[in-house]
Amino acid sequence: MKLTELIQKLNLSVRSAKMQLDREVTGGYASDLLSDVLAHGEEGNLWITLQIHQNIVGVASMKDLAGIILVNNREPEPETLEKAEAEGLPIMVTEMPTFELVGKLYSLGIVGTK
Amino acid sequence: MRKVRADLHLHTCLSPCADDLMQATTIIEQAKQIGLDMIGICDHNSGENVRALMKAGERQGLAVIPGVEVTSREEVHILGLFSTEQDLMNLQDIIYENLPGQNDEEAFGPQLVIDEYDNVVDQNSRLLIGATTLTLEQIIDAIHQFAGLAIASHVDRQRFSLIGQLGFIPYGLMLDAVEVSNPSSAGQAYGYPVVTSSDAHFLEDVGKNSTCFMVEDVSLQEISKALRCELGRMVVSN
């Protein structure tokens, strides 16, 4: 499923890289430990986290993730947004907590990678 | 110049997760017995036992550096080490303004404030085990504002460490050093000076890991120079 479709179905708000939403999502990974995402995230994954520090952009770029969804109404820090724009990395936000969001993603066919 | 052995990261009974026997006279005695010349007291998000330790250190002849281990909102632990207790108290004001929650002694343990003779004089009721709402960068700036050294805690561990939480050290972060727990990690190229400390929560762990500095005297200024390799001061092998 494409990122644009997910954004519409889950009513996500896009905060960066609005021109890069045409990408196919290969799966999902949920974690708030960035070292863990570096170890286990896979190319094209959507990453679900509550971390808003600029390093999330670095991790997502390194792993070539499709995008990041911030949960619980968290907003990215200004430096994070700046970097995400520069890298062309979509960051989306939702009021849903991780558990609920992941459940909905799963029911839409976005599953884990293992 | 002389070789000074320092363990710059010790907790006291103020930290809810530390043993109640981590008191002023006991810590100083243990540190002296093990051959340390200098210790740093860094409880979680509070410096309220530092005065007791400094007084006991003065009485028993051991240099005590006032410090604190601050938890950022990313749940990264950062040590702030200071020249004076007043500088530390200034940082503590900022921490307390940005530290939500109350401690649950049953869940996390007691937070005992002691005097220099180990008498319990108060209990801290704040949620010291919790995270502040301050970013990593804000904490480092605040430490520097009061002329302290900012050191990222135990970067070679997963839990509550800069690299564990944030994957890598953000470019341009104004750290004065990084701390490792395992001496074998000390040779790694972190891009910052490296110190090795015990992060002791129990008496038997005091001085288990330490750093040797070649310095003129046991002061924070000298440690600071050694970290920057200034005027012949340096970190030397154990």
Side-chain angles (χ1 to χ4, degrees), chain A residues 32-36 38 51-59 62 74 77 83, chain B residues 73-75 135-137 158 160 162-171 173:
Chain A
D32 303 317
L33 272 180
L34 277 64
S35 53
D36 173 55
L38 280 173
Q51 291 280 9
I52 57 176
H53 188 271
Q54 55 171 304
N55 272 23
I56 61 175
V57 180
V59 169
M62 250 183 265
R74 295 219 178 202
E77 290 175 11
K83 285 211 162 158
Chain B
R73 76 171 177 202
E74 302 90 0
E75 302 203 357
T135 67
L136 187 59
E137 289 82 0
Q158 278 292 309
F160 302 120
L162 175 51
I163 293 173
Q165 295 294 125
L166 292 182
F168 55 93
I169 302 179
Y171 177 75
L173 201 63

Side-chain angles (χ1 to χ4, degrees), chain A:
Chain A
M1 192 175 291
K2 292 219 165 158
L3 199 47
T4 38
E5 213 176 320
L6 285 173
I7 290 166
Q8 206 188 357
K9 287 192 166 147
L10 296 171
N11 198 23
L12 306 172
S13 309
V14 182
R15 290 288 184 267
S16 65
K18 291 185 178 158
M19 306 306 287
Q20 318 284 331
L21 306 177
D22 199 34
R23 193 163 167 189
E24 194 68 29
V25 175
T26 60
Y29 198 74
S31 178
D32 303 317
L33 272 180
L34 277 64
S35 53
D36 173 55
V37 181
L38 280 173
H40 298 113
E42 289 183 11
E43 191 183 328
N45 278 186
L46 253 186
W47 173 19
I48 293 90
T49 184
L50 47 70
Q51 291 280 9
I52 57 176
H53 188 271
Q54 55 171 304
N55 272 23
I56 61 175
V57 180
V59 169
S61 299
M62 250 183 265
K63 303 300 288 191
D64 195 18
L65 305 181
I68 303 172
I69 306 179
L70 303 178
V71 294
N72 274 350
N73 277 323
R74 295 219 178 202
E75 289 292 336
E77 290 175 11
E79 299 80 13
T80 307
L81 270 186
E82 218 172 284
K83 285 211 162 158
E85 279 300 343
E87 297 274 341
L89 176 83
I91 295 181
M92 291 135 291
V93 300
T94 177
E95 76 290 346
M96 280 183 266
T98 301
F99 193 87
E100 201 182 337
L101 175 65
V102 169
K104 290 197 170 163
L105 282 167
Y106 229 95
S107 67
L108 288 170
I110 305 299
V111 295
T113 47
K114 292 282 177 291

